[in-house]
Amino acid sequence: MLETNIRVVRPGPQLCVPVRRVIVSGQTLAPDLLERLCNLLRRRYGISAARIPGSVSELFVATDRQVEKVTLEEDNWQLTAVDSNDPTRIMSISNTDDESFISILIERALLAQIASRSLFWTLDSPRIWYEKNPFQRNEGVAVYHRYEVDALPLGDAGIGISVDVSTAFFSEHTLEYYFAPNLISGESKTRQDEFHKFTGRQAGQKGTLLYNNGRSKVKCYFENNRVGLTCGATGQMKLEGITYPSLYHYYASKYSALQINENDAAVQVSFPGLDRPVPVAARLLSLRVMNDDVPDGLSSVDKIPPRNRKYLIEQFWKCLEPRPFGNVAPGVFDGFWRPNNERVHYIQLPEINFGQGQKAEPPDVRSVASIKNYFRRRLELLGHAGCYHFPPSAPRTIFCAYPQSLGEEIPEKLVNGIVNVLNKWTGLSFCSNLVSYSTASEAYGKLRRAESAGVVLFILDEEPAVYYDASFNLEGWRVKRVTEPVLRQQHKYLTNGVWDRKRQEYSLGRGQSRWESFINLIGLDVIQQLDAIPYRIPNIGPYEGQLIIDVGHDRQFFAVSLLIVRSEDKVPAFNISSQVQHKADHKHESINPVLLKDTIINVFKTAKRRTFDPLTSLLIMRDGNVQGSEIGGIDNALVELRQLGIISPDARLDIVGVHKESVSSIRLWDVDVRGEVSNPIEGTGLSVNSSLYLVACTGEATLTQGTAEPVAIVANNRCLSIADAALSAFLAAQLNWSSPGVAQRLPLPLKRTDEELTARSDQEIRRIR
């Protein structure tokens, strides 16, 4: 039985919610400030309020009593909320127009109850809460459970509340520990090395900090730690409209309970919304340690299996009894939402085509064992039958640049292993070219003197500047980077074996298998660098093409990726191509419509050959949701593509949003007749409501840790069938070329944009340093 992390609000008279209309006036009535007002009303007064859709000056408040005048202000804005004196309106869940609004009011009522319990604290989102105390401490890191809350209409099933649990890491020590003065040089270096490791600053990123002033917790970013800067030596400061002689005097006046001293260390940080860094007391700051930067001993703590996830969410709800929504709504039904059979669908896994006409047939039965075997067959068939397609013009020489200190033996084994798997997978003959270097610059010079740019395995140490330089300085080359410590460790497995716990001895056979797996993974990346098609699927559902539009996490770049999959009698029958561009405005998520239009047209032109059969159907997926004027850019591109004969005049053109992270934090799991909880099988789909469809591309057969996170498809009135879009996304995820034996969560073109945006961002960080 499919189960979700959603609980359904019980019906009752409270689901006919009384609301009062409130008029807001002030210096600035921007929508984001109105949302801040709603959050402040919830936190300060326990009032559940929401902005009236389409209005910039009105709120609905969930109450049947007149709302008293409320004034809220900060340095640069002031808002006043006054009851309109209109009669109380009754909103009913049976009214479709009221349904989504009631869900917002219920969600905010729940958030108000969470805030009143003092068992949780929040940081940068009113919907995300952390447990008061860490559940684990290890290697200088404190580990917390983190809960995300969302309400959503479920159609005839009612209003659902999803609660998901994840893991958050913070440093046990404050910044006062890391930058304490008068330490001996060795201890000072040890502490600062830990700080840089935890913040990932070696990659050019600012560290994210938790600022705890005793009354609230706020997110900020590390700027610098000027030697000798103390709270009493910051000089005059103007904060919240008042001038203070120093930071010490500010704390003494506003936060005397903190007992900040003049000689306490201060560091410079930046806060969202402020245009300049400001000093704060170092002992009030902790590090937010990102998952990629946690010590090895904690690397699996964030992988929460379904059974544990379900238990933790149940305990969270118990903390909110007996009235989790206050007076706005009754409680929730017992247990989690188990959608009826009409909402649950199982997508058939596709046939996989390899070279020499060989195929991996989809499993006949829907079982974990058969699906696991189906994925295992992919790598086996790649070895037996070879690639589906390898470009004749692709380079056949694999360069390997390695530091002289490493010696020639290990790099030679590595590149020869890569050459061997490429020979096997393509049926062609590759050769290697070893390039030793004492400095990275020397390697760049030697490679540039090659007859033509090709593929290079670049072995380098963990110095991040060199890591990003390798791509930045080798324009036209396709670079696969391998760090020296990882390579040495893998070679150690090959020569010394892997420890066998059962036999209590090192196993050379396991070491050989570990080395071969390492070679295969690198080889799979290299063969994609060569524009090969390791294997393909017959179709991507009712569409001939998928177009992905994605924006990088720092909003500096956006990417467009095109996947074409159709029958062999059309040209091209299969193609994958991508382009990355600078965004004109990195402060906002939206993409300039003219630039978006041009990039879409260019990526299609890249795929076009002398002969090109027009596409008769296309699915356009925007990561997140289409923003603002982007729809105009997309539509203008489609008009021009029709004129160019790239898209047929009567082509089916669907547009949806796709979320790399599950929207509404919804998780899926299966519960068997014995009550055992496991991940759903790959291809499980759930129609949550008319505008939201989830599909689990990963699942019980191949997911060894954690809970499956479904991909969410969001409708926007530009798609004939959201289920068709979900089917297409799942099928494109079967092009798991980087890990054939394991299901891939994202459709291939979305995975490509994600990887290329990350790489481009890394190069940009290096360029501006």
Side-chain angles (χ1 to χ4, degrees):
M1 173 70 73
L2 186 69
E3 191 172 82
T4 70
N5 61 335
I6 296 172
R7 299 191 70 180
V8 180
V9 178
R10 290 200 309 269
Q14 291 92 334
L15 281 186
C16 294
V17 179
V19 295
R20 300 282 297 184
R21 189 169 66 93
V22 170
I23 309 298
V24 182
S25 60
Q27 297 167 338
T28 304
L29 292 176
D32 61 328
L33 289 186
L34 287 179
E35 286 302 311
R36 288 182 64 183
L37 172 61
C38 292
N39 292 330
L40 288 168
L41 287 170
R42 174 185 54 77
R43 290 199 306 269
R44 191 176 297 179
Y45 305 111
I47 297 174
S48 181
R51 182 167 61 92
I52 297 176
S55 173
V56 294
S57 62
E58 296 176 317
L59 307 175
F60 272 140
V61 177
T63 181
D64 58 358
R65 299 180 181 180
Q66 188 172 43
V67 179
E68 296 183 10
K69 178 181 176 180
V70 177
T71 299
L72 300 171
E73 59 183 325
E74 291 191 8
D75 284 353
N76 56 351
W77 62 274
Q78 181 186 74
L79 297 180
T80 301
V82 180
D83 194 289
S84 67
N85 293 319
D86 291 345
T88 300
R89 174 182 167 182
I90 303 298
M91 287 190 168
S92 171
I93 193 172
S94 60
N95 186 333
T96 306
D97 294 336
D98 292 344
E99 187 183 41
S100 61
F101 205 86
I102 288 176
S103 70
I104 294 173
L105 292 173
I106 289 175
E107 175 190 297
R108 293 186 177 180
L110 176 64
L111 296 176
Q113 292 299 311
I114 297 171
S116 69
R117 294 299 199 276
S118 72
L119 297 172
F120 306 93
W121 52 274
T122 188
L123 181 55
D124 56 355
S125 169
R127 295 173 51 244
I128 298 174
W129 294 83
Y130 300 79
E131 286 185 348
K132 187 175 182 179
N133 299 311
F135 68 90
Q136 186 174 342
R137 297 177 185 271
N138 191 16
E139 298 186 61
V141 176
V143 192
Y144 293 80
H145 284 134
R146 172 181 181 268
Y147 299 88
E148 186 168 354
V149 177
D150 196 12
L152 66 162
L154 301 175
D156 56 7
I159 300 293
I161 307 290
S162 70
V163 176
D164 192 25
V165 59
S166 57
T167 308
F169 304 93
F170 294 87
S171 64
E172 283 194 280
H173 301 296
T174 68
L175 265 64
E176 184 178 52
Y177 168 85
Y178 293 114
F179 300 115
N182 306 319
L183 292 174
I184 60 173
S185 59
E187 177 64 16
S188 178
K189 183 178 186 304
T190 298
R191 293 188 185 187
Q192 292 201 30
D193 284 348
E194 181 175 275
F195 175 82
H196 294 319
K197 180 181 69 174
F198 284 168
T199 59
R201 279 178 58 78
Q202 65 268 32
Q205 304 293 322
K206 294 181 178 180
T208 302
L209 307 175
L210 168 65
Y211 175 53
N212 184 359
N213 62 20
R215 298 178 189 171
S216 63
K217 296 179 175 69
V218 182
K219 182 169 70 174
C220 58
Y221 304 95
F222 178 78
E223 291 290 339
N224 62 71
N225 60 304
R226 202 172 74 217
V227 177
L229 181 65
T230 63
C231 293
T234 59
Q236 194 176 82
M237 299 177 60
K238 186 175 182 180
L239 297 169
E240 300 173 2
I242 302 174
T243 300
Y244 300 91
S246 69
L247 180 62
Y248 160 74
H249 291 88
Y250 166 75
Y251 285 124
S253 173
K254 301 282 288 187
Y255 301 95
S256 57
L258 295 174
Q259 298 184 342
I260 299 294
N261 299 313
E262 289 187 84
N263 294 326
D264 285 350
V267 298
Q268 293 278 346
V269 303
S270 57
F271 289 92
L274 289 182
D275 58 357
R276 58 184 175 79
V278 295
V280 299
R283 69 178 172 92
L284 304 182
L285 295 166
S286 301
L287 274 168
R288 173 75 165 91
V289 184
M290 300 306 172
N291 292 33
D292 290 342
D293 300 318
V294 299
D296 290 341
L298 293 171
S299 60
S300 297
V301 174
D302 62 323
K303 310 295 191 300
I304 306 173
R307 182 179 179 181
N308 294 1
R309 185 178 300 274
K310 180 178 179 179
Y311 172 78
L312 289 169
I313 298 171
E314 288 172 336
Q315 297 306 112
F316 176 85
W317 278 104
K318 284 183 179 179
C319 295
L320 303 176
E321 295 296 345
R323 297 197 63 83
F325 309 109
N327 295 321
V328 173
V332 290
F333 284 110
D334 292 338
F336 293 99
W337 181 45
R338 294 182 175 183
N340 58 39
N341 292 337
E342 288 73 24
R343 292 175 180 260
V344 181
H345 307 91
Y346 296 96
I347 302 174
Q348 175 67 40
L349 288 156
E351 172 187 285
I352 307 293
N353 303 132
F354 294 84
Q356 303 179 38
Q358 295 201 36
K359 303 174 183 179
E361 298 291 344
D364 294 330
V365 294
R366 198 172 64 239
S367 70
V368 170
S370 61
I371 294 173
K372 188 176 294 187
N373 183 63
Y374 167 76
F375 277 95
R376 188 184 299 116
R377 284 277 291 157
R378 297 185 183 191
L379 190 57
E380 293 175 1
L381 275 171
L382 183 62
H384 298 323
C387 284
Y388 176 81
H389 173 72
F390 187 82
S393 59
R396 306 285 180 83
T397 300
I398 307 300
F399 290 82
C400 180
Y402 67 94
Q404 291 175 354
S405 58
L406 179 61
E408 186 176 301
E409 179 188 359
I410 298 177
E412 188 173 35
K413 284 184 181 179
L414 173 69
V415 72
N416 286 344
I418 301 300
V419 164
N420 288 337
V421 295
L422 293 179
N423 290 343
K424 179 173 66 173
W425 294 339
T426 65
L428 302 172
S429 179
F430 285 77
C431 62
S432 62
N433 190 330
L434 290 168
V435 177
S436 67
Y437 67 87
S438 56
T439 66
S441 296
E442 181 184 354
Y444 305 146
K446 287 183 176 180
L447 290 168
R448 289 194 196 106
R449 288 194 290 273
E451 289 185 10
S452 60
V455 175
V456 57
L457 293 171
F458 211 112
I459 302 171
L460 33 79
D461 60 23
E462 291 188 293
E463 171 55 44
V466 178
Y467 191 81
Y468 299 125
D469 263 343
S471 292
F472 185 72
N473 284 281
L474 291 172
E475 187 174 358
W477 283 79
R478 304 168 192 208
V479 181
K480 171 60 184 175
R481 294 167 293 199
V482 182
T483 61
E484 183 179 338
V486 169
L487 178 56
R488 285 186 181 275
Q489 181 61 60
Q490 295 293 332
H491 187 261
K492 186 177 179 181
Y493 292 144
L494 176 65
T495 55
N496 298 346
V498 172
W499 181 251
D500 187 327
R501 291 182 181 179
K502 291 184 178 179
R503 297 184 177 182
Q504 291 293 295
E505 62 182 16
Y506 283 96
S507 167
L508 288 174
R510 289 189 176 187
Q512 178 72 30
S513 296
R514 184 77 66 91
W515 174 259
E516 289 175 358
S517 295
F518 178 62
I519 293 294
N520 281 336
L521 285 173
I522 296 177
L524 288 165
D525 281 343
V526 170
I527 205 164
Q528 291 180 70
Q529 297 268 23
L530 293 167
D531 294 327
I533 302 172
Y535 44 83
R536 64 160 288 180
I537 51 180
N539 62 71
I540 46 174
Y543 307 98
E544 290 191 336
Q546 272 185 19
L547 184 74
I548 298 289
I549 302 168
D550 195 1
V551 173
H553 68 90
D554 56 4
R555 298 175 176 173
Q556 297 281 347
F557 301 92
F558 75 94
V560 174
S561 184
L562 173 66
L563 172 67
I564 296 174
V565 182
R566 49 187 178 173
S567 60
E568 296 289 350
D569 60 346
K570 292 189 176 181
V571 180
F574 190 101
N575 182 272
I576 176 78
S577 52
S578 305
Q579 287 197 7
V580 180
Q581 297 286 348
H582 269 282
K583 270 181 87 270
D585 181 0
H586 65 270
K587 293 182 179 180
H588 300 95
E589 171 75 11
S590 61
I591 306 168
N592 177 280
V594 175
L595 187 56
L596 177 59
K597 170 201 163 189
D598 292 343
T599 307
I600 290 173
I601 292 170
N602 287 337
V603 81
F604 271 94
K605 287 181 176 178
T606 301
K608 188 175 181 181
R609 305 290 186 265
R610 290 183 180 178
T611 302
F612 188 98
D613 293 313
L615 293 175
T616 60
S617 53
L618 177 68
L619 174 64
I620 300 169
M621 295 192 283
R622 168 64 157 92
D623 178 41
N625 295 299
V626 176
Q627 305 286 320
S629 59
E630 288 178 355
I631 193 68
I634 295 171
D635 285 339
N636 289 337
L638 295 175
V639 168
E640 189 164 332
L641 289 169
R642 280 194 176 102
Q643 294 170 349
L644 292 170
I646 294 175
I647 293 177
S648 66
D650 58 347
R652 175 181 175 180
L653 304 172
D654 286 350
I655 303 175
V656 296
V658 58
H659 290 254
K660 286 180 284 193
E661 296 181 1
S662 178
V663 67
S664 301
S665 306
I666 301 175
R667 298 281 187 153
L668 312 176
W669 52 73
D670 273 326
V671 181
D672 66 16
V673 293
R674 298 170 299 171
E676 294 294 322
V677 181
S678 62
N679 278 306
I681 63 171
E682 289 78 350
T684 301
L686 171 62
S687 176
V688 178
N689 54 41
S690 60
S691 61
L692 177 61
Y693 196 106
L694 304 179
V695 59
C697 297
T698 58
E700 183 65 18
T702 62
L703 188 63
T704 58
Q705 290 185 313
T707 308
E709 187 174 6
V711 171
I713 307 297
V714 180
N716 52 20
N717 300 317
R718 291 290 298 268
C719 181
L720 290 176
S721 168
I722 192 172
D724 282 353
L727 166 65
S728 185
F730 174 74
L731 292 174
Q734 302 314 303
L735 299 169
N736 57 336
W737 295 339
S738 296
S739 54
V742 180
Q744 181 172 282
R745 183 171 172 271
L746 299 179
L748 177 64
L750 182 55
K751 183 175 184 289
R752 283 283 175 92
T753 59
D754 199 42
E755 292 171 344
E756 294 192 18
L757 285 168
T758 299
R760 183 62 63 89
S761 179
D762 291 343
Q763 292 176 26
E764 186 71 3
I765 288 169
R766 175 58 194 151
R767 186 185 68 80
I768 63 178
R769 286 179 64 184

